């Protein structure tokens, strides 16, 4: 059964310690914290909702819930569930994007202090069709673009894309699709700007050994961001079933968590080139990772 717990950790303690538990919606699956550190949004996959959490020092509490359920249309009287999987807050803290995997769309949210609501266009909640089965979203440090990982059919040997959203357009809209590989899951945006990294599963992990699309290594697809242009410029192999990815605060390194191999790969970014420089083992299987907020 889906849980509904958010765990609050005191990172000033040594070692860090859990200090509180907050209830959100069912199956909280993605979280974003604003740059000011005063607000968190949580995408609840089994609830078709986003929980709003206020942060005041070490005090975290739930202050609201926003339904992001897919709206019916004349053509689709019974729309599919939204299945929100991830959320990202713009650097100015005034808007957010929420991934609706089940509906193949990304929704736009307005933020006014601790009040969060669905953005309206022509009197309707505003969604963007970003690609097949979007799973992750990140916003550039300047707030001008967003990148969306579209995992498609998962690991199936077919190429998948990242969608590019122009956040300066009114209303925001998808302006491009960039092919990255089979199964983009993890996604990271460089805090220094100029690059994003899409983590490609590439037929690893639980893929049948006889499958034509099976591989032993996942890889990082490096994306160069130049104004409104996004293109793939490099890729680098990492371990099996790599899911977690994060940039260092200066944007010079990438850290990748390999679930199958139970380790972390470290890659150095120089210009538009990625080079693996080190690995270190973990006592368990990493499944997600978070770095500095752009």
């Amino acid at each position: 059964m889906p849980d509904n717990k958010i765990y609050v950790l005191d990172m000033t303690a040594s070692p860090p310690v859990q200090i509180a538990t907050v209830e959100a919606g069912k199956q909280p699956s993605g979280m974003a914290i604003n740059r000011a550190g005063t607000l968190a949004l949580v995408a609840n996959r089994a609830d078709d909702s986003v929980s709003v959490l206020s942060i005041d020092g070490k005090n975290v509490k739930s202050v609201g819930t926003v339904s992001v359920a897919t709206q019916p249309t004349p053509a689709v009287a019974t729309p599919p569930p939204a299945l929100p999987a991830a959320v990202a807050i713009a650097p100015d803290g005034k808007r957010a994007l929420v991934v609706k995997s089940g509906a193949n769309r990304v929704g736009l949210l307005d933020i006014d202090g601790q009040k969060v609501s669905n953005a309206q266009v022509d009197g309707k909640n505003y969604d963007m069709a970003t690609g097949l089965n979007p799973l992750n979203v990140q916003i550039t440090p300047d707030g001008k673009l967003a990148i969306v990982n579209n995992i498609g059919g998962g690991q199936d040997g077919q190429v998948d894309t990242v969608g590019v959203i122009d956040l300066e357009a009114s209303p925001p809209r998808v302006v491009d699709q960039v092919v990255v590989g089979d199964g983009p899951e993890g996604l990271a945006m460089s805090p220094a700007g100029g690059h994003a990294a899409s983590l490609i599963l590439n037929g690893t992990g639980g893929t049948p050994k006889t499958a034509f699309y099976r591989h032993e290594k996942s890889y990082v697809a490096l994306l160069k961001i130049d104004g409104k242009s996004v293109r793939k410029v490099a890729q680098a192999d990492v371990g099996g079933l790599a899911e977690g990815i994060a940039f260092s605060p200066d944007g010079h390194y990438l850290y990748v968590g390999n679930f199958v191999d139970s380790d972390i790969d470290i890659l150095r970014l120089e210009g538009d080139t990625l080079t693996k420089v080190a690995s270190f083992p973990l006592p368990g299987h990493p499944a997600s990772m978070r770095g500095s907020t752009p």
Side-chain angles (χ1 to χ4, degrees):
M1 295 298 292
D3 201 350
N4 67 343
K5 302 295 191 301
I6 303 294
Y7 301 100
V8 182
L9 306 180
D10 181 0
M11 300 302 293
T12 65
S14 184
V17 61
Q18 180 186 336
I19 58 173
T21 302
V22 181
E23 291 190 356
K26 293 179 181 178
Q27 199 178 359
S29 300
M31 177 185 291
I33 300 173
N34 67 356
R35 184 173 284 183
T38 58
L39 186 80
L41 300 180
V42 181
N44 304 308
R45 189 171 175 85
D47 240 3
D48 278 4
S49 69
V50 171
S51 293
V52 184
L53 308 180
S54 70
I55 305 172
D56 182 10
K58 297 180 182 180
N59 182 31
V60 180
K61 63 180 180 180
S62 176
V63 293
T65 302
V66 182
S67 172
V68 294
T70 309
Q71 302 297 299
T73 66
V76 184
T78 306
L83 303 179
V87 63
I89 300 175
D92 64 6
K94 295 181 179 180
R95 293 191 298 186
L97 297 173
V98 56
V99 170
K100 302 182 180 183
S101 298
N104 303 317
R105 308 180 80 83
V106 168
L108 182 66
L109 303 177
D110 288 330
I111 303 174
D112 182 8
Q114 295 184 354
K115 181 182 177 182
V116 181
S117 58
N118 287 285
Q120 301 289 300
V121 174
D122 296 331
K124 300 178 181 179
N125 294 352
Y126 184 66
D127 286 347
M128 294 163 277
T130 58
L132 181 61
N133 197 5
L135 194 65
N136 218 325
V137 61
Q138 295 285 344
I139 298 174
T140 56
D142 60 12
K144 295 181 178 182
L145 287 182
I147 307 292
V148 181
N149 264 0
N150 302 307
I151 199 170
Q155 302 184 77
D156 58 3
Q158 320 304 320
V159 297
D160 298 307
T161 68
V162 298
V164 180
I165 297 175
D166 183 352
L167 290 173
E168 289 190 308
S170 183
R173 64 203 65 170
V174 177
V175 295
D176 201 1
Q177 296 282 350
V178 181
V179 171
V180 287
D182 179 15
E185 183 171 342
L187 180 65
M189 187 72 67
S190 172
H195 291 94
S198 180
L199 193 50
I200 313 302
L201 296 175
N202 195 36
T204 59
T207 303
K209 292 184 179 181
T210 57
F212 70 89
Y213 51 86
R214 178 182 171 87
H215 296 90
E216 297 303 317
K217 299 290 185 181
S218 302
Y219 65 85
V220 177
L222 181 67
L223 304 173
K224 185 176 181 64
I225 302 169
D226 184 8
K228 299 296 175 68
S229 172
V230 178
R231 67 184 192 277
K232 180 182 172 182
V233 293
Q235 71 180 55
D237 287 346
V238 288
L241 199 63
E243 296 180 294
I245 186 169
F247 275 94
S248 62
D250 60 10
H252 292 163
Y253 292 89
L254 269 170
Y255 309 104
V256 176
N258 303 307
F259 187 91
V260 169
D261 300 342
S262 295
D263 63 10
I264 299 287
D265 282 334
I266 303 174
L267 295 86
R268 181 171 58 238
L269 174 60
E270 294 180 302
D272 293 336
T273 302
L274 281 175
T275 305
K276 184 176 174 180
V277 294
S279 297
F280 63 88
L282 296 174
H285 300 282
S288 65
M289 193 181 303
R290 177 66 56 86
S292 299
T293 301

